[in-house]
Amino acid sequence: MKILVLGSGGREHVLCWSLKSSPLVDALYCAPGNAGIARDATCLDLDPMDFDAVSTYCQTNEIDLVVVGPEAPLVAGIVDRLEADGFACFGPTAAAARLEGSKTFMKELCDKYGVPTAQWAKFDTFEPARAYIEKMGAPIVVKADGLAAGKGVIVATSTEEAVEAAQSMFDGAFGDAGAEIIIEECMVGEEASFFVLVDGKNALPLATAQDHKRIGEGDTGPNTGGMGAYSPAPVMTEALCDDVMQRIVQPLVDGLAAEDAEFKGLFYAGIMLTADGPKLLEVNTRFGDPECQVVLPRLKSDLLLALMASRDGELGNFSLRWHDDAALCVVMATEGYPGAYGKGSVIAGFEDAEADDAVVVFHAGTKEVDGNITAAGGRVLGVTALGPTIADAQSRAYAAVDKISWPEGYCRRDIGWRAVGS
Ligand code: AMP
Ligand code: GLY
Protein backbone atom coordinates (compact mmCIF):
# COMPACT_ATOMS: atom_id res chain seq x y z
CA MET A 1 0.00 0.00 0.00
CA LYS A 2 0.99 3.61 -0.57
CA ILE A 3 0.43 5.79 2.48
CA LEU A 4 0.49 9.58 2.75
CA VAL A 5 0.81 11.20 6.19
CA LEU A 6 -0.09 14.90 6.44
CA GLY A 7 1.74 17.17 8.90
CA SER A 8 5.23 18.13 10.02
CA GLY A 9 5.52 17.69 13.79
CA GLY A 10 6.69 15.13 16.32
CA ARG A 11 3.31 13.42 16.08
CA GLU A 12 3.75 12.89 12.35
CA HIS A 13 7.29 11.63 12.90
CA VAL A 14 6.12 8.91 15.29
CA LEU A 15 3.20 8.08 12.96
CA CYS A 16 5.68 7.55 10.08
CA TRP A 17 8.15 5.68 12.31
CA SER A 18 5.38 3.34 13.38
CA LEU A 19 3.76 2.91 9.94
CA LYS A 20 7.03 2.15 8.16
CA SER A 21 7.34 -1.12 10.09
CA SER A 22 4.05 -2.42 8.69
CA PRO A 23 4.62 -5.19 6.15
CA LEU A 24 1.66 -3.80 4.21
CA VAL A 25 3.43 -0.52 3.46
CA ASP A 26 5.18 -0.37 0.08
CA ALA A 27 5.69 3.37 0.03
CA LEU A 28 5.38 6.01 2.74
CA TYR A 29 5.14 9.75 2.06
CA CYS A 30 4.82 12.69 4.41
CA ALA A 31 3.71 16.22 3.49
CA PRO A 32 5.51 18.39 4.30
CA GLY A 33 7.44 16.37 6.96
CA ASN A 34 10.72 17.47 8.54
CA ALA A 35 14.41 16.47 8.69
CA GLY A 36 13.75 13.52 11.02
CA ILE A 37 10.71 12.25 9.13
CA ALA A 38 12.92 12.17 6.04
CA ARG A 39 14.68 9.13 7.62
CA ASP A 40 11.43 7.16 7.63
CA ALA A 41 9.38 8.53 4.72
CA THR A 42 9.70 10.49 1.50
CA CYS A 43 8.96 14.12 2.33
CA LEU A 44 6.85 16.11 -0.13
CA ASP A 45 6.69 19.83 -0.72
CA LEU A 46 2.93 19.90 -0.27
CA ASP A 47 0.76 22.03 2.04
CA PRO A 48 -1.91 19.94 3.86
CA MET A 49 -4.26 22.95 3.71
CA ASP A 50 -4.06 23.01 -0.10
CA PHE A 51 -6.74 20.38 -0.68
CA ASP A 52 -6.56 20.61 -4.49
CA ALA A 53 -2.83 19.88 -4.44
CA VAL A 54 -3.21 16.99 -1.97
CA SER A 55 -6.02 15.44 -4.00
CA THR A 56 -4.05 15.78 -7.24
CA TYR A 57 -1.04 14.15 -5.58
CA CYS A 58 -3.19 11.23 -4.38
CA GLN A 59 -4.58 10.80 -7.89
CA THR A 60 -1.22 10.91 -9.64
CA ASN A 61 0.51 8.64 -7.15
CA GLU A 62 -2.35 6.22 -6.44
CA ILE A 63 -2.33 6.76 -2.67
CA ASP A 64 -4.25 4.03 -0.79
CA LEU A 65 -4.63 5.76 2.58
CA VAL A 66 -4.16 9.33 3.79
CA VAL A 67 -3.45 9.76 7.52
CA VAL A 68 -4.19 13.29 8.71
CA GLY A 69 -2.04 14.42 11.67
CA PRO A 70 -3.09 17.95 12.71
CA GLU A 71 -6.51 19.44 13.50
CA ALA A 72 -6.57 22.39 11.09
CA PRO A 73 -7.09 20.39 7.87
CA LEU A 74 -9.59 18.09 9.65
CA VAL A 75 -11.70 21.01 10.84
CA ALA A 76 -11.46 22.55 7.36
CA GLY A 77 -12.84 19.33 5.82
CA ILE A 78 -9.92 17.53 4.23
CA VAL A 79 -11.43 14.10 4.93
CA ASP A 80 -14.75 15.06 3.29
CA ARG A 81 -12.89 16.33 0.24
CA LEU A 82 -10.49 13.39 -0.21
CA GLU A 83 -13.15 10.75 0.44
CA ALA A 84 -15.45 12.48 -2.09
CA ASP A 85 -12.56 12.32 -4.58
CA GLY A 86 -12.27 8.57 -3.93
CA PHE A 87 -9.35 8.41 -1.48
CA ALA A 88 -9.49 6.55 1.82
CA CYS A 89 -8.65 8.81 4.72
CA PHE A 90 -8.01 8.24 8.44
CA GLY A 91 -9.66 10.98 10.50
CA PRO A 92 -13.04 12.60 11.15
CA THR A 93 -15.12 14.63 8.72
CA ALA A 94 -15.50 18.37 9.30
CA ALA A 95 -18.88 17.77 10.97
CA ALA A 96 -17.32 15.39 13.53
CA ALA A 97 -14.11 17.44 13.93
CA ARG A 98 -16.28 20.27 15.29
CA LEU A 99 -15.84 18.48 18.60
CA GLU A 100 -12.37 20.06 18.60
CA GLY A 101 -13.06 23.01 16.29
CA SER A 102 -15.86 24.49 18.39
CA LYS A 103 -15.85 24.30 22.18
CA THR A 104 -19.49 25.46 22.19
CA PHE A 105 -20.47 22.53 19.98
CA MET A 106 -18.61 20.13 22.28
CA LYS A 107 -20.24 21.52 25.43
CA GLU A 108 -23.74 21.51 23.89
CA LEU A 109 -23.29 17.89 22.91
CA CYS A 110 -22.13 17.04 26.45
CA ASP A 111 -25.23 18.68 27.92
CA LYS A 112 -27.54 16.99 25.43
CA TYR A 113 -26.12 13.50 26.07
CA GLY A 114 -25.48 13.84 29.80
CA VAL A 115 -21.67 13.77 29.65
CA PRO A 116 -19.96 15.10 32.81
CA THR A 117 -18.05 18.32 32.13
CA ALA A 118 -17.45 21.73 33.76
CA GLN A 119 -20.47 24.05 34.10
CA TRP A 120 -20.34 26.66 31.37
CA ALA A 121 -21.97 29.56 29.56
CA LYS A 122 -21.34 31.09 26.14
CA PHE A 123 -21.10 34.77 25.16
CA ASP A 124 -20.69 36.75 21.97
CA THR A 125 -20.48 40.21 23.56
CA PHE A 126 -18.30 41.57 26.33
CA GLU A 127 -20.72 43.11 28.86
CA PRO A 128 -22.72 39.96 29.68
CA ALA A 129 -19.44 38.00 29.86
CA ARG A 130 -18.01 40.51 32.34
CA ALA A 131 -21.17 40.40 34.45
CA TYR A 132 -21.10 36.58 34.49
CA ILE A 133 -17.43 36.53 35.58
CA GLU A 134 -18.19 39.01 38.40
CA LYS A 135 -21.15 36.88 39.49
CA MET A 136 -19.27 33.54 39.46
CA GLY A 137 -15.97 34.81 40.93
CA ALA A 138 -12.46 33.37 40.50
CA PRO A 139 -10.84 31.00 39.79
CA ILE A 140 -12.65 30.78 36.47
CA VAL A 141 -11.74 29.63 32.96
CA VAL A 142 -12.16 31.69 29.78
CA LYS A 143 -11.91 29.96 26.39
CA ALA A 144 -12.06 31.10 22.78
CA ASP A 145 -14.62 28.97 20.94
CA GLY A 146 -12.48 28.10 17.91
CA LEU A 147 -9.00 26.71 17.21
CA ALA A 148 -6.25 28.81 18.79
CA ALA A 149 -3.18 26.52 18.59
CA GLY A 150 -3.55 25.49 22.25
CA LYS A 151 -3.39 29.11 23.46
CA GLY A 152 -7.07 30.01 23.62
CA VAL A 153 -7.64 28.88 27.22
CA ILE A 154 -7.02 31.17 30.21
CA VAL A 155 -7.31 29.66 33.68
CA ALA A 156 -7.78 32.92 35.57
CA THR A 157 -6.98 33.18 39.27
CA SER A 158 -8.72 36.58 39.65
CA THR A 159 -11.85 38.10 38.15
CA GLU A 160 -9.69 40.95 36.74
CA GLU A 161 -7.57 38.45 34.82
CA ALA A 162 -10.69 36.70 33.50
CA VAL A 163 -12.31 39.97 32.43
CA GLU A 164 -9.09 40.98 30.69
CA ALA A 165 -8.93 37.63 28.88
CA ALA A 166 -12.54 37.96 27.72
CA GLN A 167 -11.88 41.51 26.54
CA SER A 168 -8.77 40.53 24.58
CA MET A 169 -10.63 37.64 22.92
CA PHE A 170 -13.44 39.96 21.82
CA ASP A 171 -10.75 42.44 20.68
CA GLY A 172 -9.50 39.77 18.27
CA ALA A 173 -6.49 38.22 20.07
CA PHE A 174 -7.42 34.89 18.42
CA GLY A 175 -9.12 36.29 15.32
CA ASP A 176 -12.45 34.68 14.45
CA ALA A 177 -11.77 31.87 16.95
CA GLY A 178 -12.58 34.35 19.74
CA ALA A 179 -15.74 35.88 18.25
CA GLU A 180 -17.59 33.62 20.65
CA ILE A 181 -16.19 32.66 24.05
CA ILE A 182 -17.16 30.26 26.77
CA ILE A 183 -16.69 30.77 30.48
CA GLU A 184 -16.33 27.67 32.63
CA GLU A 185 -16.22 26.57 36.19
CA CYS A 186 -12.59 25.89 37.18
CA MET A 187 -12.21 22.20 37.93
CA VAL A 188 -9.60 20.88 40.33
CA GLY A 189 -7.81 17.55 40.03
CA GLU A 190 -5.19 15.61 38.12
CA GLU A 191 -5.40 15.60 34.32
CA ALA A 192 -5.01 12.67 31.97
CA SER A 193 -5.29 12.11 28.24
CA PHE A 194 -7.17 9.09 26.96
CA PHE A 195 -6.78 7.95 23.34
CA VAL A 196 -9.61 5.97 21.78
CA LEU A 197 -9.90 4.72 18.21
CA VAL A 198 -13.42 5.11 16.80
CA ASP A 199 -15.02 3.75 13.61
CA GLY A 200 -18.29 5.68 13.63
CA LYS A 201 -19.92 3.29 16.08
CA ASN A 202 -17.37 1.21 17.96
CA ALA A 203 -14.82 2.73 20.32
CA LEU A 204 -11.57 0.89 21.04
CA PRO A 205 -9.48 2.30 23.93
CA LEU A 206 -5.80 2.62 23.02
CA ALA A 207 -3.84 3.97 25.98
CA THR A 208 -3.62 6.72 28.56
CA ALA A 209 -0.96 9.40 28.84
CA GLN A 210 -0.19 12.57 30.75
CA ASP A 211 1.47 15.58 29.26
CA HIS A 212 3.12 18.64 30.76
CA LYS A 213 1.57 21.71 29.14
CA ARG A 214 3.45 24.41 31.06
CA ILE A 215 6.87 25.70 30.01
CA GLY A 216 8.39 25.68 33.51
CA GLU A 217 9.42 23.00 35.99
CA GLY A 218 6.81 22.06 38.57
CA ASP A 219 4.18 22.77 35.88
CA THR A 220 4.50 26.54 36.12
CA GLY A 221 4.49 29.42 33.63
CA PRO A 222 2.60 29.83 30.36
CA ASN A 223 0.96 26.96 28.48
CA THR A 224 2.76 25.44 25.51
CA GLY A 225 1.84 22.74 23.00
CA GLY A 226 3.31 20.24 25.50
CA MET A 227 6.83 19.94 26.97
CA GLY A 228 6.82 16.20 27.58
CA ALA A 229 4.59 13.21 28.23
CA TYR A 230 4.49 9.69 29.55
CA SER A 231 2.29 6.65 29.11
CA PRO A 232 0.51 4.95 30.75
CA ALA A 233 -0.95 7.50 33.17
CA PRO A 234 -0.82 5.75 36.55
CA VAL A 235 -3.86 7.70 37.82
CA MET A 236 -6.05 6.20 35.10
CA THR A 237 -6.83 2.84 36.65
CA GLU A 238 -8.71 0.23 34.65
CA ALA A 239 -11.91 1.08 36.54
CA LEU A 240 -11.51 4.77 35.66
CA CYS A 241 -10.85 3.93 32.01
CA ASP A 242 -14.07 1.87 31.93
CA ASP A 243 -15.95 4.71 33.57
CA VAL A 244 -14.62 7.25 31.04
CA MET A 245 -15.55 4.93 28.17
CA GLN A 246 -19.09 4.42 29.47
CA ARG A 247 -19.98 7.88 30.68
CA ILE A 248 -17.93 10.11 28.37
CA VAL A 249 -16.60 8.55 25.17
CA GLN A 250 -19.39 6.19 24.08
CA PRO A 251 -22.24 8.69 24.73
CA LEU A 252 -20.46 11.29 22.57
CA VAL A 253 -19.71 8.75 19.81
CA ASP A 254 -23.39 7.64 19.85
CA GLY A 255 -24.54 11.25 20.07
CA LEU A 256 -22.51 12.28 17.03
CA ALA A 257 -23.88 9.34 15.05
CA ALA A 258 -27.42 10.38 16.04
CA GLU A 259 -26.64 13.95 14.91
CA ASP A 260 -25.53 12.76 11.48
CA ALA A 261 -21.92 13.56 12.27
CA GLU A 262 -20.53 10.05 12.71
CA PHE A 263 -17.04 10.15 14.26
CA LYS A 264 -14.21 8.13 12.73
CA GLY A 265 -10.60 8.56 13.74
CA LEU A 266 -8.73 9.24 16.93
CA PHE A 267 -10.85 10.50 19.81
CA TYR A 268 -8.65 12.20 22.40
CA ALA A 269 -10.48 12.83 25.64
CA GLY A 270 -8.82 15.34 27.97
CA ILE A 271 -10.01 14.28 31.42
CA MET A 272 -9.94 16.01 34.80
CA LEU A 273 -10.12 13.58 37.70
CA THR A 274 -12.23 15.64 40.11
CA ALA A 275 -13.51 14.71 43.56
CA ASP A 276 -16.86 14.01 41.82
CA GLY A 277 -15.31 11.60 39.32
CA PRO A 278 -13.83 12.07 35.85
CA LYS A 279 -15.06 15.05 33.85
CA LEU A 280 -14.38 16.01 30.25
CA LEU A 281 -12.05 19.00 29.77
CA GLU A 282 -11.80 18.91 26.00
CA VAL A 283 -11.93 16.61 23.01
CA ASN A 284 -9.24 16.59 20.37
CA THR A 285 -10.04 14.81 17.15
CA ARG A 286 -6.50 13.65 16.35
CA PHE A 287 -3.51 12.20 18.17
CA GLY A 288 -2.04 14.49 20.86
CA ASP A 289 1.47 15.81 20.44
CA PRO A 290 3.67 14.84 22.38
CA GLU A 291 1.34 12.12 23.80
CA CYS A 292 1.46 10.26 20.49
CA GLN A 293 5.25 9.91 20.92
CA VAL A 294 4.71 7.86 24.09
CA VAL A 295 1.63 5.87 23.07
CA LEU A 296 2.64 4.51 19.66
CA PRO A 297 6.06 3.11 20.68
CA ARG A 298 4.16 0.95 23.19
CA LEU A 299 1.96 -0.56 20.46
CA LYS A 300 2.98 -4.07 19.39
CA SER A 301 0.32 -4.55 16.71
CA ASP A 302 0.37 -3.10 13.21
CA LEU A 303 -0.77 0.54 13.42
CA LEU A 304 -1.83 0.58 9.77
CA LEU A 305 -4.39 -2.20 10.33
CA ALA A 306 -5.85 -0.26 13.25
CA LEU A 307 -6.14 2.98 11.26
CA MET A 308 -7.76 1.14 8.36
CA ALA A 309 -10.23 -0.64 10.63
CA SER A 310 -11.27 2.76 12.01
CA ARG A 311 -11.76 4.17 8.52
CA ASP A 312 -13.59 1.06 7.27
CA GLY A 313 -15.97 0.79 10.26
CA GLU A 314 -14.45 -2.53 11.33
CA LEU A 315 -13.33 -1.99 14.91
CA GLY A 316 -16.15 -4.16 16.29
CA ASN A 317 -14.02 -7.27 16.05
CA PHE A 318 -10.63 -5.78 16.50
CA SER A 319 -8.09 -5.79 19.29
CA LEU A 320 -4.55 -4.59 19.77
CA ARG A 321 -1.48 -5.90 21.59
CA TRP A 322 0.73 -3.64 23.69
CA HIS A 323 4.23 -3.84 25.13
CA ASP A 324 4.38 -3.96 28.92
CA ASP A 325 6.92 -1.14 28.91
CA ALA A 326 6.14 2.45 29.83
CA ALA A 327 7.35 5.35 27.69
CA LEU A 328 8.43 8.90 28.44
CA CYS A 329 9.18 11.77 26.07
CA VAL A 330 11.16 14.92 26.87
CA VAL A 331 10.51 17.80 24.47
CA MET A 332 13.50 19.97 23.60
CA ALA A 333 12.48 23.46 22.51
CA THR A 334 14.32 26.49 21.20
CA GLU A 335 15.13 28.91 24.02
CA GLY A 336 12.47 31.63 24.14
CA TYR A 337 9.56 29.32 23.28
CA PRO A 338 6.57 29.73 23.76
CA GLY A 339 7.51 33.40 23.15
CA ALA A 340 9.75 34.61 20.32
CA TYR A 341 12.68 32.34 19.43
CA GLY A 342 15.47 32.16 16.88
CA LYS A 343 15.82 29.66 14.05
CA GLY A 344 18.74 27.93 12.39
CA SER A 345 20.88 26.78 15.36
CA VAL A 346 22.74 23.53 14.70
CA ILE A 347 21.92 20.38 16.72
CA ALA A 348 24.30 17.41 17.02
CA GLY A 349 24.69 14.19 18.99
CA PHE A 350 21.77 12.22 17.54
CA GLU A 351 23.76 9.00 17.07
CA ASP A 352 25.02 9.06 20.64
CA ALA A 353 21.55 9.76 21.97
CA GLU A 354 20.04 6.90 19.98
CA ALA A 355 22.83 4.41 20.83
CA ASP A 356 20.47 3.08 23.50
CA ASP A 357 18.04 0.73 21.67
CA ALA A 358 15.21 1.93 23.90
CA VAL A 359 15.58 5.54 22.71
CA VAL A 360 14.20 7.30 19.65
CA VAL A 361 14.63 11.00 18.97
CA PHE A 362 11.49 12.19 17.20
CA HIS A 363 11.81 15.44 15.28
CA ALA A 364 9.22 18.21 15.47
CA GLY A 365 10.64 21.47 14.06
CA THR A 366 13.87 20.54 12.29
CA LYS A 367 15.33 21.29 8.89
CA GLU A 368 18.42 19.94 7.19
CA VAL A 369 20.77 22.71 6.05
CA ASP A 370 24.13 21.87 4.40
CA GLY A 371 24.17 18.40 5.95
CA ASN A 372 23.37 19.72 9.46
CA ILE A 373 20.18 19.26 11.43
CA THR A 374 19.00 22.74 12.45
CA ALA A 375 16.20 24.04 14.66
CA ALA A 376 13.28 25.36 12.65
CA GLY A 377 10.53 25.79 15.23
CA GLY A 378 9.54 26.19 18.88
CA ARG A 379 9.26 22.56 19.87
CA VAL A 380 12.11 20.87 18.04
CA LEU A 381 12.79 17.33 19.36
CA GLY A 382 10.91 14.69 21.35
CA VAL A 383 13.50 12.46 23.03
CA THR A 384 11.57 9.29 23.83
CA ALA A 385 12.56 6.22 25.81
CA LEU A 386 10.89 2.96 26.80
CA GLY A 387 11.54 1.22 30.10
CA PRO A 388 9.98 -1.31 32.48
CA THR A 389 8.74 1.60 34.64
CA ILE A 390 8.16 5.29 34.05
CA ALA A 391 11.19 5.97 36.28
CA ASP A 392 13.39 3.80 34.03
CA ALA A 393 12.03 5.43 30.89
CA GLN A 394 12.66 8.83 32.49
CA SER A 395 16.31 8.16 33.32
CA ARG A 396 16.99 6.72 29.85
CA ALA A 397 15.30 9.67 28.17
CA TYR A 398 17.33 12.20 30.16
CA ALA A 399 20.57 10.25 29.56
CA ALA A 400 19.80 10.63 25.84
CA VAL A 401 18.92 14.33 26.20
CA ASP A 402 22.34 14.87 27.79
CA LYS A 403 24.02 13.47 24.67
CA ILE A 404 22.33 15.98 22.40
CA SER A 405 24.55 18.96 21.79
CA TRP A 406 22.42 22.06 21.29
CA PRO A 407 23.35 25.16 23.33
CA GLU A 408 20.25 27.07 22.11
CA GLY A 409 17.90 24.32 23.29
CA TYR A 410 15.83 24.11 26.46
CA CYS A 411 14.02 21.27 28.16
CA ARG A 412 12.30 20.73 31.46
CA ARG A 413 14.21 18.37 33.76
CA ASP A 414 11.15 17.09 35.62
CA ILE A 415 9.00 15.35 32.99
CA GLY A 416 7.12 12.54 34.71
CA TRP A 417 7.42 13.98 38.24
CA ARG A 418 3.89 13.10 39.26
CA ALA A 419 4.33 9.48 38.24
CA VAL A 420 7.87 9.09 39.56
CA GLY A 421 7.32 11.09 42.73
CA SER A 422 10.43 13.25 42.54
P1 AMP B 1 -8.18 22.68 26.86
O1 AMP B 1 -7.46 23.07 25.60
O2 AMP B 1 -9.64 23.01 26.87
O3 AMP B 1 -7.86 21.32 27.37
O4 AMP B 1 -7.50 23.58 27.99
C1 AMP B 1 -6.10 23.61 28.17
C2 AMP B 1 -5.78 23.40 29.62
O5 AMP B 1 -6.45 24.38 30.43
C3 AMP B 1 -6.27 22.07 30.16
O6 AMP B 1 -5.36 21.05 29.91
C4 AMP B 1 -6.39 22.38 31.64
O7 AMP B 1 -5.13 22.34 32.28
C5 AMP B 1 -6.86 23.81 31.65
N1 AMP B 1 -8.35 23.86 31.73
C6 AMP B 1 -9.24 23.90 30.71
N2 AMP B 1 -10.50 23.93 31.15
C7 AMP B 1 -10.43 23.89 32.50
C8 AMP B 1 -11.41 23.89 33.55
N3 AMP B 1 -12.71 23.98 33.29
N4 AMP B 1 -10.96 23.84 34.82
C9 AMP B 1 -9.62 23.79 35.10
N5 AMP B 1 -8.67 23.80 34.16
C10 AMP B 1 -9.04 23.85 32.87
N1 GLY C 1 -0.52 17.86 23.88
C1 GLY C 1 -1.81 18.42 23.73
C2 GLY C 1 -2.37 18.35 22.39
O1 GLY C 1 -1.89 17.68 21.50
O2 GLY C 1 -3.39 18.99 22.17
Side-chain angles (χ1 to χ4, degrees):
M1 291 178 69
K2 291 182 171 179
I3 313 295
L4 170 61
V5 175
L6 298 180
S8 61
R11 163 183 49 217
E12 288 74 26
H13 191 182
V14 67
L15 280 165
C16 288
W17 174 85
S18 192
L19 286 168
K20 84 166 180 192
S21 63
S22 168
L24 289 168
V25 173
D26 299 312
L28 182 60
Y29 305 95
C30 186
N34 63 41
I37 293 175
R39 293 191 309 211
D40 298 316
T42 304
C43 292
L44 308 172
D45 187 13
L46 198 59
D47 175 1
M49 293 302 283
D50 184 346
F51 296 180
D52 289 339
V54 174
S55 182
T56 303
Y57 186 86
C58 291
Q59 184 79 49
T60 316
N61 296 279
E62 299 176 324
I63 297 297
D64 297 299
L65 181 74
V66 180
V67 179
V68 186
E71 61 275 22
L74 292 170
V75 170
I78 194 158
V79 171
D80 310 63
R81 166 65 193 272
L82 293 179
E83 289 278 352
D85 291 352
F87 305 109
C89 236
F90 171 77
T93 59
R98 284 184 76 205
L99 263 191
E100 176 165 4
S102 165
K103 293 188 190 293
T104 309
F105 175 76
M106 187 281 264
K107 299 294 278 191
E108 281 168 351
L109 211 64
C110 285
D111 288 354
K112 185 164 175 185
Y113 294 97
V115 171
T117 185
Q119 256 188 36
W120 68 291
K122 68 174 172 182
F123 299 92
D124 55 13
T125 52
F126 174 67
E127 254 327 299
R130 191 194 56 72
Y132 183 79
I133 292 167
E134 303 285 353
K135 186 178 104 193
M136 302 306 282
I140 194 159
V141 182
V142 183
K143 300 184 175 184
D145 177 65
L147 291 182
K151 300 191 179 92
V153 174
I154 308 294
V155 182
T157 50
S158 67
T159 51
E160 292 75 25
E161 191 188 349
V163 168
E164 213 172 281
Q167 180 76 72
S168 82
M169 286 179 194
F170 286 129
D171 285 348
F174 301 108
D176 286 350
E180 190 161 68
I181 68 169
I182 72 174
I183 299 178
E184 274 187 15
E185 158 203 9
C186 186
M187 300 190 288
V188 182
E190 198 165 335
E191 283 183 56
S193 309
F194 191 32
F195 283 8
V196 182
L197 208 53
V198 178
D199 72 353
K201 203 165 80 197
N202 305 292
L204 177 71
L206 295 186
T208 58
Q210 282 180 288
D211 80 344
H212 293 268
K213 289 203 165 90
R214 309 288 188 129
I215 186 71
E217 278 159 25
D219 296 319
T220 54
N223 265 337
T224 70
M227 293 304 293
Y230 51 95
S231 173
V235 284
M236 286 291 285
T237 58
E238 220 174 295
L240 272 174
C241 288
D242 289 347
D243 193 33
V244 169
M245 285 301 289
Q246 273 171 32
R247 294 197 303 129
I248 296 178
V249 180
Q250 197 66 55
L252 286 176
V253 169
D254 295 344
L256 282 168
E259 308 276 328
D260 242 355
E262 196 178 65
F263 189 97
K264 288 184 176 186
L266 194 285
F267 187 108
Y268 164 144
I271 301 294
M272 182 75 92
L273 298 169
T274 74
D276 301 328
K279 292 191 182 178
L280 187 64
L281 274 168
E282 63 167 337
V283 180
N284 293 320
T285 59
R286 36 77 195 172
F287 284 103
D289 185 343
E291 296 95 319
C292 194
Q293 289 87 309
V294 289
V295 168
L296 293 186
R298 299 182 50 230
L299 179 65
K300 244 188 217 177
S301 303
D302 187 332
L303 174 66
L304 179 58
L305 290 175
L307 303 185
M308 285 182 3
S310 156
R311 187 270 173 189
D312 293 339
E314 289 173 351
L315 285 176
N317 250 333
F318 198 87
S319 61
L320 291 166
R321 296 172 68 227
W322 295 87
H323 293 289
D324 290 332
D325 279 355
L328 184 138
C329 169
V330 178
V331 169
M332 299 184 77
T334 308
E335 241 163 15
Y337 174 82
Y341 54 83
K343 284 188 183 176
S345 50
V346 173
I347 311 169
F350 290 96
E351 265 184 34
D352 270 0
E354 290 185 318
D356 179 345
D357 283 348
V359 170
V360 190
V361 179
F362 294 114
H363 292 222
T366 61
K367 193 171 169 190
E368 191 173 330
V369 179
D370 301 331
N372 290 315
I373 301 290
T374 66
R379 292 189 297 166
V380 173
L381 302 174
V383 180
T384 304
L386 288 162
T389 64
I390 293 172
D392 291 318
Q394 183 193 50
S395 54
R396 291 174 108 151
Y398 278 111
V401 163
D402 290 337
K403 291 183 182 141
I404 301 261
S405 157
W406 181 29
E408 296 82 358
Y410 164 82
C411 73
R412 280 178 55 170
R413 300 295 311 189
D414 66 344
I415 299 304
W417 66 270
R418 278 180 207 277
V420 172
S422 58

